[in-house]
Amino acid sequence: EAGVTQFPSHSVIEKGQTVTLRCDPISGHDNLYWYRRVMGKEIKFLLHFVKESKQDESGMPNNRFLAERTGGTYSTLKVQPAELEDSGVYFCASSQFGNTEAFFGQGTRLTVV
Amino acid sequence: AQSVTQPDIHITVSEGASLELRCNYSYGATPYLFWYVQSPGQGLQLLLKYFSGDTLVQGIKGFEAEFKRSQSSFNLRKPSVHWSDAAEYFCAVGARTNGQNFVFGPGTRLSVLP
């Protein structure tokens, strides 16, 4: 069974540009989460989808970040326009509904220059 | 507010030595507790988890952790470290509801000397 897949694995963009990160959860997992780790800091929760609905987006830093999960399958996280402080590693995770074990992807390392 | 502390930013041990990584949490109720490991270039891998029952939890790769409610701790241990254990270790707490909006600790980086 495939795990959680994220791509790209690494993205380097200029300040002011737009970047879209993608996450493919494990098939059948209703819960999908985005986290990020800014350099030298903790891994922070961004948001949680249950199927296609946003269950909790309290961790989204500002309105430059937009997450979608059309059809309740894969999810995208768009940053527009990117700022220097957005650099970090963005993790996606998924879990079955009601299940407490989340499986993480390898992360996307975003570098904004 | 929920929080997780990992007092040690970086630990260095010799191969074959024992290991204990500390984790303390602040949470309003009994949380779910997790330890994840991130090896270089890899994603986060679950080592072990505590939900209820026996407070000593066994995980993969020979790791174990003990939940101590009175100390709000969930320390990770391994009796004999291998060079492949060099990685970053994260303690996390999660709510006892659907969804795992984890609160992570800052991580402890483990270096292993030959």
Side-chain angles (χ1 to χ4, degrees):
Chain A
E1 179 182 341
V4 177
T5 306
Q6 293 185 245
F7 57 94
S9 58
H10 193 182
S11 178
V12 181
I13 61 170
E14 292 184 350
K15 175 183 173 181
Q17 289 186 323
T18 297
V19 63
T20 300
L21 314 181
R22 174 168 168 148
C23 169
D24 287 75
I26 293 173
S27 178
H29 281 192
D30 288 338
N31 289 313
L32 187 149
Y33 318 85
W34 284 98
Y35 291 83
R36 77 171 178 176
R37 189 183 192 196
V38 173
M39 186 65 68
K41 298 192 175 180
E42 295 93 340
I43 301 170
K44 294 282 195 183
F45 166 79
L46 296 178
L47 88 159
H48 169 207
F49 283 99
V50 178
K51 296 186 180 178
E52 67 276 8
S53 300
K54 291 176 184 175
Q55 180 82 1
D56 181 353
E57 52 184 331
S58 61
M60 295 287 266
N62 52 60
N63 60 10
R64 295 186 294 103
F65 289 76
L66 175 64
E68 294 180 322
R69 192 182 182 194
T70 306
T73 54
Y74 71 91
S75 174
T76 58
L77 179 65
K78 183 164 72 173
V79 185
Q80 179 182 31
E83 299 289 345
L84 298 178
E85 64 264 26
D86 300 332
S87 296
V89 180
Y90 290 76
F91 290 102
C92 176
S94 71
S95 69
Q96 294 179 327
F97 187 85
N99 189 297
T100 51
E101 180 170 352
F103 296 83
F104 282 79
Q106 292 186 319
T108 294
R109 181 173 295 278
L110 174 64
T111 303
V112 183
V113 297
Chain B
Q2 306 156 16
S3 67
V4 178
T5 56
Q6 293 179 246
D8 304 304
I9 297 173
H10 184 200
I11 285 181
T12 300
V13 300
S14 298
E15 190 168 19
S18 63
L19 173 69
E20 182 169 30
L21 302 182
R22 296 181 289 166
C23 171
N24 292 93
Y25 66 90
S26 173
Y27 198 79
T30 302
Y32 290 137
L33 296 160
F34 306 82
W35 274 98
Y36 282 86
V37 60
Q38 185 180 20
S39 299
Q42 305 295 314
L44 292 165
Q45 182 183 24
L46 180 67
L47 281 177
L48 47 76
K49 59 191 177 187
Y50 171 77
F51 291 165
S52 64
D54 193 345
T55 56
L56 184 62
V57 180
Q58 302 298 320
I60 63 171
K61 304 183 180 186
F63 285 93
E64 67 178 25
E66 185 171 12
F67 170 55
K68 293 186 177 180
R69 186 189 305 272
S70 62
Q71 298 176 20
S72 297
S73 69
F74 189 56
N75 294 347
L76 181 72
R77 299 194 294 251
K78 186 170 184 177
S80 178
V81 169
H82 188 262
W83 64 266
S84 61
D85 293 325
E88 193 158 17
Y89 293 79
F90 296 93
C91 181
V93 298
R96 289 179 175 263
T97 58
N98 177 55
Q100 282 306 308
N101 305 355
F102 290 124
V103 174
F104 281 90
T108 296
R109 186 161 60 90
L110 174 65
S111 297
V112 180
L113 299 175

